[in-house]
Amino acid sequence: MAKIVGAITTSHVPAIGKAIARNLREDPYWKPFFDGFAPVHRWLERVRPDVAVILYNDHGLNFFLDKMPTFAVGAASEYRNADEGWGIPTLPPVPGSPKLSWHLIERLVGEEFDITTCQEMLVDHAFTIPMALLWPGKGAWPVRTVPVCINTVQHPLPSAMRCYKLGEAVGRAIESYEEDLRVVVIGTGGLSHQLDGERAGFINKAFDLEFMEKLPSDPLWAARRSIRDLVELTGTQGIELLMWLAARGALGGEAVTVHSNYHIPISNTAAGLMLMERRAA
Amino acid sequence: MPRPASIPGTTLFDGAAAMKGYALNKMCYSFNSAANREAFRQDEDGYCARYGLSPEQREAVRHRNVLELIGAGGNVYYLAKLAGIFGLDVQDLGAQQTGMTKDEFKAKLIAAGR
């Protein structure tokens, strides 16, 4: 049977893509951010997941306001990145895992999550930057992927509790899959930031740190809050913490932090990184 | 249903905004294509007309003014693609919306980490 080996949550700021392309990992601005990934790289080397289920939010590459799914699951044999309009380099196609995708789709719909299915799907920086951060410079990607996209563009957004429960259902679906696969669940986005309005530049370090501290042991601390309150606390784009809650939900039960990093600022964003595992029984 | 209390300096991009801003956001979404970005550069008036921008939206684009664009129903994810045509990044946008210089805006971000 498939097994979830852990959950990784990370920011996905577009500027990271430019920094990787320009090889700025050792640059003083970037070093505290990139150095945070070394323990995660060692963990990935050791655990060697076969598949990554990636919970992310599209920013207007694949989905537009003409059709805006609340939850969408990719079911393609590969996922392509494309020009997003402001010049971050595109990445090579990422292999999919369509059989696992359809298993997730069956299980999620069976649990009353009425998701949209996508046999063709462009994946944007929220998917590709975490891939590039977690598996840098490998040429061929060492994992297959299943993208799960959550709408954070157009309100009403799904509630934080709904995203957490979606993650729980994703976790149950993965662990009911018959093939022996090691699966890592990845949630991308956040932490606090706001790009738009007179409050642009808003960052809430105190909230972010408490969120990261509570996520393994008490995810409902954040999940029970309203979208409106979470936007007030984390910013209009900080609401991307929904993906962290979903990834945490997939782990289920009790979890522990294996590694974390937090750095302000990357571009306009408080950048966070966590690696969580289930607490050993 | 009562609307949730507003958050100062913050617009939630809801159904009303999505309807109001549809033409503007659709134009900005087209800028995922390099050919469309070039077409806009060559003939801004013609390009805006083709997408049926409202007079308010057309003026906001003309002014390159982010708060006006948001007021006209623009969503920042799509507006970022328009800003890219003008060579503006999200810190330029942040500086413009908060009335700061870019250096002041960057300093504010760094200060948030202390």
Side-chain angles (χ1 to χ4, degrees):
Chain A
M1 301 296 283
K3 181 176 164 34
I4 295 174
V5 291
I8 300 170
T9 53
T10 175
S11 303
H12 61 220
V13 184
I16 298 165
K18 291 186 184 171
I20 292 172
R22 293 175 194 158
N23 202 17
L24 297 177
R25 287 182 182 82
E26 295 297 319
D27 179 273
Y29 181 88
W30 288 100
K31 191 172 167 52
F33 171 77
F34 282 107
D35 282 358
F37 284 84
V40 181
H41 294 156
R42 289 194 291 274
W43 183 87
L44 288 168
E45 273 301 310
R46 184 165 56 77
V47 174
R48 292 191 175 275
D50 304 297
V51 178
V53 173
I54 303 184
L55 298 139
Y56 76 107
N57 57 301
D58 180 82
H59 304 69
L61 178 65
N62 190 68
F63 295 114
F64 179 61
L65 304 172
D66 58 338
K67 306 169 196 75
M68 182 58 70
T70 296
F71 299 127
V73 178
S77 56
E78 71 170 20
Y79 300 97
R80 290 179 176 274
N81 184 211
D83 187 351
E84 293 182 50
W86 20 253
I88 59 168
T90 56
L91 288 186
V94 179
S97 183
K99 208 175 138 214
L100 176 59
S101 287
W102 282 108
H103 175 78
L104 290 191
I105 290 161
E106 290 280 353
R107 290 290 172 141
L108 290 174
V109 174
E111 289 204 37
E112 302 179 351
F113 285 92
D114 303 322
I115 41 103
T116 298
T117 61
C118 304
Q119 289 205 59
E120 290 187 49
M121 188 183 207
L122 293 172
V123 289
D124 79 350
H125 66 271
F127 181 99
T128 58
I129 284 177
M131 287 294 296
L133 283 168
L134 296 173
W135 292 281
K138 300 282 188 195
W141 299 109
V143 287
R144 290 173 285 140
T145 59
V146 176
V148 179
C149 185
I150 298 179
N151 162 41
T152 61
V153 171
Q154 176 181 272
H155 292 250
L157 311 186
S159 72
M161 193 64 83
R162 185 66 172 161
C163 293
Y164 180 73
K165 288 178 178 173
L166 173 78
E168 289 184 314
V170 166
R172 285 190 291 271
I174 292 167
E175 299 213 316
S176 67
Y177 189 61
E178 62 192 14
E179 200 180 333
D180 287 328
L181 293 175
R182 291 178 303 278
V183 180
V184 63
V185 179
I186 298 172
T188 94
L191 286 170
S192 62
H193 64 301
Q194 176 154 337
L195 302 177
D196 47 337
E198 294 88 345
R199 203 172 70 132
F202 174 78
I203 284 175
N204 189 344
K205 183 178 179 180
F207 179 86
D208 287 343
L209 291 176
E210 193 164 5
F211 172 69
M212 290 175 72
E213 186 199 321
K214 291 221 158 63
L215 189 60
S217 60
D218 184 14
L220 300 187
W221 177 81
R224 67 168 70 96
R225 295 169 193 258
S226 70
I227 292 291
R228 185 258 170 221
D229 288 353
L230 287 168
V231 168
E232 183 167 45
L233 286 163
T234 67
T236 41
Q237 282 73 43
I239 195 65
E240 290 169 342
L241 63 69
L242 294 176
M243 268 58 70
W244 290 49
L245 285 169
R248 172 64 188 88
L251 262 189
E254 290 203 21
V256 291
T257 301
V258 178
H259 172 69
S260 70
N261 189 42
Y262 182 76
H263 175 70
I264 296 173
I266 290 300
S267 187
N268 289 15
T269 302
L273 167 67
M274 286 182 79
L275 166 60
M276 290 170 279
E277 287 180 343
R278 288 195 179 122
R279 185 184 293 281
Chain B
M1 236 173 70
R3 293 173 70 87
S6 65
I7 302 164
T10 301
T11 304
L12 294 188
F13 185 80
D14 60 5
M19 283 198 295
K20 182 177 186 184
Y22 195 79
L24 171 63
N25 290 316
K26 188 170 179 178
M27 181 180 84
C28 293
Y29 181 65
S30 79
F31 297 141
N32 280 333
S33 148
N36 289 341
R37 297 196 291 274
E38 187 53 34
F40 176 88
R41 281 193 199 94
Q42 293 296 326
D43 177 14
E44 182 172 325
D45 271 330
Y47 203 89
C48 290
R50 206 177 322 151
Y51 279 86
L53 266 56
S54 69
E56 180 191 8
Q57 290 168 348
R58 180 68 193 95
E59 281 306 296
V61 172
R62 201 188 313 281
H63 297 155
R64 313 317 195 214
N65 185 297
V66 184
L67 293 175
E68 287 181 27
L69 287 160
I70 292 169
N75 175 291
V76 72
Y77 292 131
Y78 307 114
L79 296 178
K81 301 171 196 294
L82 171 68
I85 295 178
F86 310 131
L88 303 173
D89 63 27
V90 289
Q91 291 172 353
D92 292 304
L93 304 190
Q96 190 199 85
Q97 294 174 94
T98 54
M100 297 181 188
T101 66
K102 192 173 182 178
D103 282 342
E104 286 167 350
F105 186 73
K106 284 179 166 178
K108 169 186 150 85
L109 292 165
I110 289 167
R114 296 206 183 100

